[in-house]
Amino acid sequence: DTAVSQTPKYLVTQMGNDKSIKCEQNLGHDTMYWYKQDSKKFLKIMFSYNNKELIINETVPNRFSPKSPDKAHLNLHINSLELGDSAVYFCASSQVISKETQYFGPGTRLLVL
Amino acid sequence: GEDVEQSLFLSVREGDSSVINCTYTDSSSTYLYWYKQEPGAGLQLLTYIFSNMDMKQDQRLTVLLNKKDKHLSLRIADTQTGDSAIYFCAVPLTGGGNKLTFGTGTQLKVEL
């Protein structure tokens, strides 16, 4: 069974569209994260939720809105997509925020045309 | 520079040892991690070390931590072609809140 899963795996869309990426973990973890990996493979945290509450919110445009319906799910909605949003987005989870090992999903490759 | 830095590329011959280095500005007293990313895949936890240790060995992997110099390294013995990947160190930086900061990644290429 996949521990941290994301859908879709690939997402190709036009500039200006709104899209969502979904993430689910079946590890029973309390904390979930969204990371963005750019074309140079640089990995940067975007958000972190602990038990459905937002605890880390890095300097991310407010076009990005995370939503956590329950502690096993953390979705990422992106409005008005821009070319610079093209990247790989990784979801991760950990038992306790940050000081515990984070387990990553397979990534969602977003291409904005 | 970045808070957590790694050299971008490393090329070794199959069977040799690989040493991937990571320097950071500061870290809280907790775990420091090494992750591996194969092409087109997510990040896979490779190993970790607690901040009160200076060495940890796990089969072909050896992690060395020099807290004084703020230097973390990963040694892979008998490197194989399947070890070709990008390796990221991840450090919980002091004052960084409750989050890991990932290094810039080192692309390891193993040649026959």
Side-chain angles (χ1 to χ4, degrees), chain A residues 35 37 41-43 56 58 90 97-102 104-106 109, chain B residues 2 30-31 33 35 37 40-43 45 86 88 98-100 102 104:
Chain A
Y35 287 86
Q37 186 175 46
K41 304 299 184 184
F42 190 64
L43 194 68
I56 291 175
E58 291 296 293
F90 287 102
I97 185 170
S98 119
K99 295 182 179 181
E100 300 293 326
T101 303
Q102 294 184 24
F104 281 76
R109 284 142 190 84
Chain B
E2 300 292 342
T30 182
Y31 295 97
Y33 299 89
Y35 282 85
Q37 185 180 27
L43 276 76
L45 177 68
I86 301 176
F88 292 93
N98 291 318
K99 64 178 183 182
L100 285 180
F102 282 77
T104 44

Side-chain angles (χ1 to χ4, degrees), chain A residues 5-66:
Chain A
S5 59
Q6 295 177 229
T7 54
K9 189 171 181 181
Y10 299 96
L11 184 53
V12 181
T13 188
Q14 299 284 340
M15 238 176 14
N17 284 349
D18 303 338
K19 289 293 178 186
S20 291
I21 308 171
K22 295 186 176 182
C23 178
E24 176 181 3
Q25 54 95 4
N26 62 7
L27 297 166
H29 287 164
D30 290 333
T31 308
M32 296 183 72
Y33 311 81
W34 277 109
Y35 287 86
K36 179 180 179 181
Q37 186 175 46
D38 63 22
S39 58
K40 294 182 181 176
K41 304 299 184 184
F42 190 64
L43 194 68
K44 189 157 178 144
I45 191 166
M46 300 172 71
F47 300 102
S48 175
Y49 270 71
N50 180 259
N51 270 320
K52 302 193 295 175
E53 286 190 29
L54 180 67
I55 46 174
I56 291 175
N57 184 351
E58 291 296 293
T59 308
V60 176
N62 57 15
R63 298 182 294 104
F64 290 79
S65 51

Side-chain angles (χ1 to χ4, degrees), chain B residues 6-31:
Chain B
Q6 300 175 235
S7 51
L8 287 180
F9 298 103
L10 176 65
S11 181
V12 300
R13 288 193 179 278
E14 191 177 38
D16 288 349
S17 292
S18 309
V19 180
I20 301 170
N21 294 304
C22 171
T23 56
Y24 54 92
T25 51
D26 204 353
S27 82
S28 57
S29 297
T30 182
Y31 295 97

Side-chain angles (χ1 to χ4, degrees), chain A residues 57 59 66 82 88 102-103 111:
Chain A
N57 184 351
T59 308
E82 299 177 358
V88 183
Q102 294 184 24
Y103 294 88
L111 177 61

Side-chain angles (χ1 to χ4, degrees), chain B residues 11-78:
Chain B
S11 181
V12 300
R13 288 193 179 278
E14 191 177 38
D16 288 349
S17 292
S18 309
V19 180
I20 301 170
N21 294 304
C22 171
T23 56
Y24 54 92
T25 51
D26 204 353
S27 82
S28 57
S29 297
T30 182
Y31 295 97
L32 296 87
Y33 299 89
W34 283 103
Y35 282 85
K36 176 184 180 183
Q37 185 180 27
E38 295 180 354
L43 276 76
Q44 169 197 350
L45 177 68
L46 211 50
T47 187
Y48 58 88
I49 188 168
F50 193 63
S51 57
N52 68 355
M53 298 169 65
D54 49 24
M55 186 179 94
K56 177 181 177 182
Q57 187 146 5
D58 183 1
Q59 299 183 324
R60 291 191 299 124
L61 305 177
T62 303
V63 180
L64 295 177
L65 175 60
N66 183 329
K67 285 190 72 177
K68 177 174 167 288
D69 293 340
K70 298 182 176 57
H71 184 265
L72 180 71
S73 68
L74 174 70
R75 179 177 180 270
I76 306 173
D78 186 26

Side-chain angles (χ1 to χ4, degrees), chain B residues 78-104:
Chain B
D78 186 26
T79 313
Q80 303 297 308
T81 54
D83 295 325
S84 292
I86 301 176
Y87 291 80
F88 292 93
C89 60
V91 177
L93 294 181
T94 303
N98 291 318
K99 64 178 183 182
L100 285 180
T101 299
F102 282 77
T104 44

Side-chain angles (χ1 to χ4, degrees), chain A residues 79-97:
Chain A
N79 288 328
S80 303
L81 278 154
E82 299 177 358
L83 294 177
D85 297 332
S86 297
V88 183
Y89 292 84
F90 287 102
C91 176
S93 73
S94 67
Q95 181 60 45
V96 174
I97 185 170

